[in-house]
Amino acid sequence: MRIIAAVLVAAFHIGSLAPFADLDIAKTYHSLFDQGGWAGVTFFFVLSGFVLTWAVRPADTVTGFWRRRVFKLFPNHVVTLVAGIFLLLYLGTFPGAGVATANLLLVHAWDWRFESWWGVNPVSWSLCCEVFFYACFPLIIRLVNRVRPGRLWWWVVGIAAAIVAIPSLADLVIPDEAVSPATPIGVTKLWFINGFPPVRTLDFVLGIFLARMVREGRILRIPLLPAAGLAVGAYYLSTQVPYAYSLAACTALPFGLLIVSATQADREGLWSPFRSRAMVWLGQISFAFYLWHFLVLMWLGDLFKERQPLSTAGNLGFIALALTVTVLLSWATFRFVETPMMRNFASPGRRPRLDSPPQDRTARPAAVAERVEGQQGSAG
C-alpha cells in the first residue's frame, strides 16, 4: 500500500516542479493532486504505528527494536542526503553546513524556520517525525497495552478528534503571520500542524490503537472496497475544507480504516490488490522511491528549465522520465543498500524463517507482519 501513498506525494511535487503550459490541464491536475503530499504522509504515519504494533514479538527488546529502525532508516537517508548535497551545490542553492548537519541527524523538523525543516532533501522532514515515533514507541506501546479492550474505541475516537482539533489549536497558540509562498497559511502554522513531531505522533498512535483492535477482534470486519471508497471520499473532502484542516484532519481515520480493512482481507484470505507480486515489489522500493523522487524532479527540472512550462505531451514525457529514473534509483538503493544493511546489521543472531508454515490462524499474520516490519520505513 505504501507505493500508492508515495506516488501521491510524488504527484503533489510534480505539480510544482513540472507545471503544465495548458492552464485547463494544470487546473485539473492541481485539483486532483494538490493534497497528495499531505495525504500520503498522513497515510505513512498511521501505517507506521499500525505495522510496528502488529509486528511486536514477545522476545523483542527496546535496543533490538531501535537497532532495526536505525538500520532501516539511516542507510537510505544518508545515500540520498549525499546525493542531495551534490545536487544543491551543482544548482548553487546549498543551504549551509548547519542545515545539512541537522538534516543528517534528522532533527531539522524541530526548527519551524522553512529553510531548516525543508532541509537538503525536502521530503526527509517526515523522517524526523519517524525517528521521534521510534524513540517513543517502547513507552507508547506499554501504555496502550494497559488500556482495557472495551475502551479502545473511545481512544480511537478521541485521538481522531484531537487530530481534527489541531488546526484550531494552531490558531490559538501561533500569532498571525504572512502566508508562505506555497500555501495559504503561514510557515509556522504549517510546520506546527504538519511537521512538528509531537503533533504528528497522534497519527502514529492512531495506527497503534487500530492495530490492537484488529489483533483482539474489537473491530467489525470492514470490506475492502467500501473502505477504499471512504478513503477516496476523505481525500476529496480534504480538497474542499479550509487549508489547515486539509493536511491531516480529514484523512487520518479513514486511511486507518483502509489499513484495517486490508489487514482483515489478508487474515481471511480475501481478495486484495495489494498482495499482487508487482504491488509487493513496488512496496518494497517505496521507501527509497519516497526519498529519491524530489531530488530527481529537481535535477530534471533544472535540465529542462529553459523549455518550461512544457507542452502537455512534453510534460507527460517529463513525468514518465522522472518516474522511470526514480524507480531505477529506488530499486538499486533497495537492492544494494537497504537489503544488505538490514540483513547484515539490523538483527544480530539467527532469526526465525518468515516462510515457515504457520502453526495456527494467528501465527500467519504475525509472520507476515515481521516481514513487513522489516521493510517499514518512513513516511516512507
Side-chain angles (χ1 to χ4, degrees):
M1 299 175 79
R2 290 179 299 169
I3 191 60
I4 298 174
V7 169
L8 272 178
V9 177
F12 168 73
H13 290 136
I14 286 170
S16 58
L17 295 176
F20 284 88
D22 188 309
L23 295 182
D24 290 334
I25 293 179
K27 182 178 179 180
T28 301
Y29 186 93
H30 285 288
S31 68
L32 291 173
F33 298 116
D34 265 5
Q35 298 303 320
W38 317 126
V41 170
T42 298
F43 183 89
F44 285 136
F45 288 165
V46 177
L47 180 67
S48 184
F50 189 100
V51 167
L52 293 181
T53 303
W54 194 260
V56 166
R57 301 184 294 276
D60 272 345
T61 64
V62 172
T63 55
F65 168 79
W66 283 338
R67 180 188 183 97
R68 290 196 303 275
R69 295 299 88 209
V70 165
F71 282 102
K72 173 64 183 182
L73 207 65
F74 274 91
N76 285 12
H77 165 59
V78 171
V79 168
T80 52
L81 180 74
V82 171
I85 290 173
F86 280 108
L87 176 61
L88 293 182
L89 288 172
Y90 167 75
L91 297 177
T93 59
F94 184 63
V99 171
T101 302
N103 199 160
L104 172 65
L105 300 176
L106 292 179
V107 295
H108 57 300
W110 290 87
D111 190 335
W112 61 85
R113 292 173 298 177
F114 182 81
E115 62 272 17
S116 297
W117 65 271
W118 201 236
V120 174
N121 185 2
V123 301
S124 67
W125 68 265
S126 66
L127 303 192
C128 295
C129 295
E130 290 283 352
V131 166
F132 183 71
F133 301 163
Y134 300 157
C136 298
F137 181 74
L139 173 61
I140 293 174
I141 193 64
R142 289 182 183 180
L143 296 176
V144 171
N145 284 337
R146 292 179 182 178
V147 176
R148 282 186 271 179
R151 295 182 177 178
L152 291 173
W153 254 124
W154 290 102
W155 277 90
V156 167
V157 171
I159 294 167
I163 294 171
V164 173
I166 286 297
S168 297
L169 177 62
D171 286 335
L172 292 175
V173 301
I174 298 175
D176 290 336
E177 59 180 341
V179 299
S180 68
T183 67
I185 61 176
V187 170
T188 308
K189 187 176 293 186
L190 175 65
W191 165 81
F192 180 82
I193 299 171
N194 186 67
F196 186 38
V199 167
R200 297 318 301 262
T201 303
L202 290 169
D203 305 340
F204 180 71
V205 175
L206 178 65
I208 292 174
F209 272 101
L210 288 172
R212 190 181 159 198
M213 291 187 72
V214 176
R215 294 190 76 145
E216 299 185 14
R218 290 284 170 170
I219 188 170
L220 296 175
R221 192 176 77 80
I222 307 171
L224 188 55
L225 289 180
L230 177 63
V232 172
Y235 179 84
Y236 173 76
L237 179 63
S238 73
T239 68
Q240 305 301 308
V241 299
Y243 196 85
Y245 292 89
S246 71
L247 302 176
C250 296
T251 54
L253 182 57
F255 285 173
L257 295 178
L258 176 59
I259 295 166
V260 166
S261 176
T263 304
Q264 292 171 330
D266 285 351
R267 297 186 79 181
E268 299 172 20
L270 301 176
W271 172 85
S272 171
F274 308 116
R275 285 203 305 272
S276 70
R277 181 170 297 183
M279 289 298 291
V280 170
W281 182 79
L282 289 170
Q284 289 175 333
I285 68 167
S286 61
F287 178 35
F289 181 98
Y290 176 80
L291 290 177
W292 275 114
H293 80 268
F294 196 91
L295 299 177
V296 171
L297 287 169
M298 289 175 62
W299 169 57
L300 291 178
D302 180 74
L303 201 62
F304 290 93
K305 63 182 178 182
E306 295 182 359
R307 300 184 179 182
Q308 290 191 8
L310 299 171
S311 66
T312 300
N315 217 21
L316 292 176
F318 177 95
I319 294 171
L321 177 61
L323 292 177
T324 300
V325 172
T326 303
V327 167
L328 290 174
L329 287 171
S330 302
W331 168 80
T333 306
F334 173 76
R335 174 67 178 82
F336 299 108
V337 179
E338 186 175 332
T339 298
M341 291 298 290
M342 288 294 292
R343 182 175 60 241
N344 295 324
F345 301 107
S347 186
R350 183 179 178 84
R351 298 185 66 183
R353 285 175 55 87
L354 301 182
D355 56 350
S356 300
Q359 299 302 312
D360 55 38
R361 186 177 178 84
T362 60
R364 181 184 177 190
V368 173
E370 180 175 317
R371 182 175 69 245
V372 174
E373 191 271 347
Q375 298 169 354
Q376 175 64 24
S378 81

